[in-house]
Amino acid sequence: MVQPNAHGRWAQDRAEVEWFLEPDFGTEALHRLTFKIDAYGRLAKTIRIDTPLLIWTTTRRREAHLREVLTEALRNLDNPTRAPVSTTAADLAEPMSIWTPP
């Protein structure tokens, strides 16, 4: 159903969260990600686990356009909360510490 580039788990104290990672290197059209958002939403509905999707992209400019596409894609889901998404860009000062939902 989905083929993330990575799956991880962050554990701290007694809390933990799992996540999927999709790097975006700017080699495909952003609207292609709408198909991925739909697939992650279907996966969450099927397994009944809402696993956050983190999308890392190359520039803040591309991230801004990506967030527009993601906002529209999430609007089209039956239950957008089933597909929590956050983005970041490589050209931010500390990109891995700044994840922002659309």
Side-chain angles (χ1 to χ4, degrees):
M1 193 174 284
V2 299
Q3 296 178 332
N5 289 77
H7 172 261
R9 178 178 297 138
W10 177 274
Q12 187 170 347
D13 300 324
R14 293 184 180 173
E16 67 178 44
V17 63
E18 293 188 34
W19 44 266
F20 295 118
L21 175 67
E22 289 276 355
D24 169 53
F25 294 102
T27 57
E28 62 186 12
L30 290 175
H31 74 275
R32 182 161 158 65
L33 285 170
T34 61
F35 300 119
K36 292 182 181 183
I37 295 303
D38 184 57
Y40 280 102
R42 286 191 321 250
L43 173 66
K45 183 177 180 179
T46 301
I47 65 173
R48 298 182 182 165
I49 300 172
D50 304 341
T51 305
L53 173 61
L54 307 177
I55 303 175
W56 175 94
T57 193
T58 51
T59 66
R60 286 177 279 181
R61 181 180 170 146
R62 183 154 173 97
E63 182 189 19
H65 292 289
L66 169 63
R67 294 167 61 70
E68 290 173 14
V69 170
L70 290 173
T71 298
E72 186 63 32
L74 288 167
R75 247 188 241 131
N76 292 326
L77 293 180
D78 290 339
N79 186 354
T81 61
R82 291 246 116 186
V85 180
S86 289
T87 64
T88 195
D91 64 353
L92 291 170
E94 296 180 37
M96 298 312 271
S97 65
I98 303 169
W99 292 96
T100 310

